[in-house]
Each structure stands twice: as structure tokens, then as C-alpha cells.
Amino acid sequence: MLYHVFMDVTLPRDLPADETARILAREKAYSQDLQRSGKWRHIWRIAGQYANYSVFDVQDHDELHRILSGLPLFDFMDIRVTPLLRHPSAIREDDR
């Protein structure tokens, strides 16, 4: 299943810089592993915000929940999820 996911990050201003750096390094490694696996198909930064629009390709709601709740930045995110379905007028066969 495909999901459109909006993630907006708000880090606490009093979070120590070394802890922030550790969390961000873990987040990058985790997200890049998911991208390599094909589960995190697209990630787009939103200009002027610490936020992104992403597309996930996973088995079901439970798998998406496990992935999102495993994000090292999860506790600092506002996340909105929209399930996506193939449009009947779409001409590309390689998108599900």
C-alpha cells in the first residue's frame, strides 16, 4: 500500500547539541535504510520548514505505524498520514 506522509519536526530548544546530533545521525541512517529497501519511496523537503512530504510503500497500516514510531525523531514530530489508491485515469503501470 502507498501512503502519503507529512512530517513536521519541532526539536526542543533546550535539547543539548550533542544529543541532537546523535538523534539526527540515527534518523538519517534509519531513513536511508528504509529508502534503500524501497519502503520509503520518496522524501521531499518543504522549503523554509523543518518538514517533509514522503511516500511509503508498505504492506499495511501496521507496518507503516511500526516504521514511523521507530523514527528516532518520532517524539518530536507531528505526523499526518493519507492512504493512497491508484487513480483510474493514471497511465503509468509501474505505480501501484
Side-chain angles (χ1 to χ4, degrees):
M1 292 183 69
L2 294 177
Y3 295 87
H4 174 268
V5 179
F6 170 75
M7 294 178 239
D8 188 16
V9 180
T10 305
L11 290 172
R13 294 193 184 278
D14 61 348
L15 194 64
D18 60 333
E19 186 175 347
T20 299
R22 281 194 302 275
I23 293 169
L24 294 177
R26 288 189 359 250
E27 181 83 11
K28 183 175 183 176
Y30 183 76
S31 69
Q32 288 182 343
D33 285 345
L34 288 165
Q35 290 173 67
R36 286 184 197 94
S37 77
K39 293 188 181 289
W40 197 325
R41 287 184 54 177
H42 300 280
I43 182 168
W44 298 95
R45 173 182 282 168
I46 301 170
Q49 299 177 38
Y50 194 177
N52 73 75
Y53 286 116
S54 293
V55 175
F56 287 83
D57 187 358
V58 295
Q59 287 292 62
D60 53 30
H61 303 325
D62 289 331
E63 183 179 16
L64 180 65
H65 180 75
R66 281 191 304 276
I67 287 170
L68 295 177
S69 61
L71 289 165
L73 285 172
F74 180 78
D75 291 339
F76 309 111
M77 290 181 170
D78 173 36
I79 300 174
R80 286 177 254 150
V81 176
T82 305
L84 299 173
L85 300 170
R86 183 169 169 76
H87 195 283
S89 298
I91 61 170
R92 291 190 55 185
E93 294 298 324
D94 61 341
D95 279 335
R96 299 180 254 134

